Amino acid sequence: MEKSLPLHLLHVNISAIIINRSHAIFHFIAILFLIHYRLSFFFRSPETSTIPTLPWLLIFFSELLLSLSWLLSQSYRWRPVYRTVFPERLPEDDELPGIDVFVCTADPNKEPTVEVMNTVISALAMDYPPEKLHVYLSDDAGSDATLRCTKEAWNFATYWVPFRRKYGIGTGCPEVYLSSSEVDNGEFKDSEFKAEKDNIEQKYEVMKQRVMEIVQHRDVVAHNTYSRDHPSIIEVINEYPQEEMPQVKMPQFVYVSREKRPSHHHNFKAGALNVLLRVSSVMSNSPYILVLDCDMYCNDPTSARQAMCFYCDPQTSPSIAFVQFPQTFRNISEDDIYDSEIRSIFKIYWHGLDGVGGTILSGCNFYIKREALLGNFSKEQDLMTLKTLVEDHKPNSKTHGESSRMMLEKANELASCSYENQTAWGSEVGFMYFSVVEDYFTGFTLHRKGWKSVYLCPKRPQFLGTSTTNFHESSVQWTRWRAGIIQVVFSRFCPLICGPLNMSLVHLMCYSGLALEPLMHCLSLWGFALIPQLCLFNGIPLYPKVSDPNFNIFSIIFVSAISKSLYEIVVASGGELRMWRNEWRIWMIRAVTCCTYGSLDVVLNKVGMKEASFMPTNKVTDDEQSKLYEKGVFDFRAATMFVAPLETSRHSSDILSEFWSSMMMEMDTGRRW
């Protein structure tokens, strides 16, 4: 490694800082004038004012909520930064640290097994020393079909991995490479390469067919029962095909299915990740961990080396807990009517978070330091009480005999239901349990303890997945996210209550803004959907006339907000006007649907009327819905709970206007009496 040259560089976006802060000052002054205008109403004499107080107060409350949401969102724009890495400057392979890859799957009915196997194969094919790479597949359904499919995937990987390394294939996912219409590099357009490629393609089709047959012939009824009640299953997949064993070394591959019993709460994805954290500690114990969703394959095999540019740099602070990569998707249409790309999160918010203390943990596509997850526990403490795994042992996973048997017995014990009883797992150690959005809560906990994080967004997507492309599944997914975040708000862990131990004020504002966003958007949008329309039908003015000088306040705020969003989407991000229109539309839709039901779900849970739940997103592609999405046509064939609020907010003024009129008449009659 060239010690004189850095492994990574930080670039502060000065132009964005100037624009964002200038706009924030201008917009904030306009909001102060708005607040002054609304407050002045309450100091008028009752004799001169004919406007009822209640609607004025409600619309003022909605405006205050949106203003607070805007104010907190400015923390994301306070200091956006970008990073560049130089993996070619890393030390030699024998000096690189080990990496454990965690791939999580939960439901083969909603997560296509072929897609899961492609993700696993892409992880095995990463550009990293194979003896220092260990891949763990967590099957939370305990499906025998999934276990059999992993063996088929491993057999194919023993051919695919050497082929990818030999010819420098740019992607680790065989499905993507073999279905690509791109022309191969001229350097390898010889008969030997074409023959090997044809052979790989044939073997892949065989593997794919076998996987589909295994999944098709599984007992669905037995599976649904077994997925909630089964023992732990841990198996090292290291069998090679009957043909000659390949010369290229392969990473370790382990199938893990934790024990599940109806009498135990399993803490959803966080529980599965903590089992992998413990099991891997006795099998590989790598200092760094990559977490992937089952549909998020490794598009660029060099992501591990790029992440190591932060961990291996002696000039970098050892307090970096994780390196977050963006979530990018390969099935996004040009219109993207449901904002499935989640553009604002990964192109605006996370860059700003990186500049003020560290990005939020984002579910997958992150390399995290094992030490950060294990907390500050030391070897001298009572490990039997805490049951934390911090021992410095690194057994050879490919040994056989007594040592291998004892290792698997220990691993099965660590994957049992009762292992975490009366321990610090989920509260002080590992991924946090309190919320179904374990990523947000875990990241917040790490940052409060003083750990840092970085956000790396290379030009080429390091990971590619599939996103929801229909209204129903998108709404289910966002409702789960909103409910999980509001769980944190309605608890002692709320960012506004849980004081920052080692966080800056701006960093705390970022976490608070994301946590309070569902409630603020839900309440404010329902206020704007109901109050102005009701007042319009009843002749109650809530806004000044165009001839009134106060009208300029509202017009300035409107133009300011629209101009800034157009700048961020069209100018800064290179988007189009239709993208801007679609994002505003889906934001309003989610505010009155997902945010509403997410908040309601948490309230019912707090009063004991409903238990917290985790419904995996359905990743099975529906051809008809995909065609509508590609055409930019909304598909409202969703649950009534999502469609009803949209109709209610549109027609509520008609339904309630008569009630409002009669109430005002009765009030007027009472005053005359």
Side-chain angles (χ1 to χ4, degrees), residues 323-368:
V323 177
Q324 178 69 60
F325 287 90
Q327 293 184 23
T328 46
F329 308 99
R330 57 186 173 123
N331 61 333
I332 303 298
S333 68
E334 292 184 0
D335 282 344
D336 191 21
I337 54 177
Y338 304 119
D339 189 25
S340 301
E341 186 182 11
I342 325 178
R343 188 203 57 82
S344 59
I345 293 289
F346 296 111
K347 292 191 177 181
I348 298 177
Y349 287 8
W350 270 213
H351 286 290
L353 270 161
D354 193 12
V356 298
T359 183
I360 294 173
L361 206 64
S362 307
C364 64
N365 302 355
F366 59 86
Y367 289 83
I368 191 166

Side-chain angles (χ1 to χ4, degrees), residues 274 277 371-377 381 386 388 423-433 441-442 445-446 449 451 492-493:
N274 280 341
L277 186 62
E371 178 187 351
L373 292 171
L374 293 179
N376 298 319
F377 299 108
Q381 290 180 292
L386 294 174
T388 58
T423 70
W425 282 98
S427 58
E428 299 177 64
V429 182
F431 293 88
M432 300 294 105
Y433 285 160
F441 191 38
T442 301
T445 303
L446 291 175
K449 292 179 179 179
W451 290 97
R492 62 186 179 90
F493 303 109

Side-chain angles (χ1 to χ4, degrees), residues 322-619:
F322 60 91
V323 177
Q324 178 69 60
F325 287 90
Q327 293 184 23
T328 46
F329 308 99
R330 57 186 173 123
N331 61 333
I332 303 298
S333 68
E334 292 184 0
D335 282 344
D336 191 21
I337 54 177
Y338 304 119
D339 189 25
S340 301
E341 186 182 11
I342 325 178
R343 188 203 57 82
S344 59
I345 293 289
F346 296 111
K347 292 191 177 181
I348 298 177
Y349 287 8
W350 270 213
H351 286 290
L353 270 161
D354 193 12
V356 298
T359 183
I360 294 173
L361 206 64
S362 307
C364 64
N365 302 355
F366 59 86
Y367 289 83
I368 191 166
K369 187 180 293 185
R370 186 183 292 267
E371 178 187 351
L373 292 171
L374 293 179
N376 298 319
F377 299 108
S378 62
K379 299 178 189 178
E380 288 76 17
Q381 290 180 292
D382 186 0
L383 296 179
M384 293 304 295
T385 302
L386 294 174
K387 291 189 178 180
T388 58
L389 298 166
V390 294
E391 300 95 330
D392 289 329
H393 65 321
K394 203 165 185 180
N396 184 358
S397 61
K398 295 185 180 180
T399 57
H400 299 279
E402 188 66 18
S403 60
S404 178
R405 185 185 63 81
M406 292 178 62
M407 179 186 66
L408 289 176
E409 287 181 358
K410 179 62 176 177
N412 276 280
E413 178 188 349
L414 299 175
S416 64
C417 285
S418 59
Y419 183 82
E420 293 183 356
N421 294 344
Q422 306 301 318
T423 70
W425 282 98
S427 58
E428 299 177 64
V429 182
F431 293 88
M432 300 294 105
Y433 285 160
F434 180 76
S435 171
V436 294
V437 284
E438 77 295 327
D439 47 0
Y440 172 90
F441 191 38
T442 301
F444 178 58
T445 303
L446 291 175
H447 283 131
R448 287 189 68 246
K449 292 179 179 179
W451 290 97
K452 305 297 181 182
S453 62
V454 297
Y455 181 56
L456 184 59
C457 185
K459 290 184 178 180
R460 183 184 182 188
Q462 300 299 290
F463 305 94
L464 278 175
T466 54
S467 185
T468 52
T469 56
N470 65 77
F471 180 69
H472 176 74
E473 292 301 330
S474 175
S475 300
V476 169
Q477 186 180 57
W478 277 84
T479 300
R480 183 179 72 240
W481 289 344
R482 293 317 195 192
I485 290 178
I486 298 173
Q487 275 183 298
V488 180
V489 174
F490 290 159
S491 71
R492 62 186 179 90
F493 303 109
C494 176
L496 297 178
I497 301 174
C498 194
L501 296 178
N502 294 284
M503 294 176 65
S504 66
L505 176 61
V506 181
H507 202 194
L508 178 66
M509 288 177 62
C510 293
Y511 270 99
S512 301
L514 190 61
L516 296 173
E517 184 180 89
L519 278 176
M520 292 187 293
H521 290 177
C522 165
L523 295 176
S524 60
L525 263 292
W526 272 112
F528 287 120
L530 298 176
I531 307 304
Q533 289 83 347
L534 290 172
C535 291
L536 178 63
F537 277 107
N538 291 277
I540 301 174
L542 291 181
Y543 301 97
K545 296 181 179 179
V546 177
S547 58
D548 190 332
N550 290 314
F551 179 80
N552 294 328
I553 299 174
F554 293 89
S555 60
I556 288 174
I557 291 177
F558 175 78
V559 173
S560 173
I562 294 299
S563 300
K564 187 57 168 29
S565 64
L566 279 172
Y567 164 77
E568 290 182 341
I569 296 175
V570 179
V571 179
S573 301
E576 300 180 2
L577 283 175
R578 58 182 177 182
M579 183 185 297
W580 169 81
R581 176 201 62 190
N582 291 336
E583 287 193 19
W584 274 99
R585 179 173 57 188
I586 198 65
W587 170 73
M588 290 187 286
I589 290 175
R590 286 172 179 162
V592 296
T593 55
C594 304
C595 293
T596 300
Y597 287 116
S599 304
L600 184 62
D601 187 77
V602 175
V603 171
L604 294 177
N605 174 255
K606 289 295 181 181
V607 299
M609 296 179 62
K610 187 178 186 297
E611 293 185 0
S613 60
F614 183 93
M615 184 182 297
T617 306
N618 190 357
K619 301 298 175 62

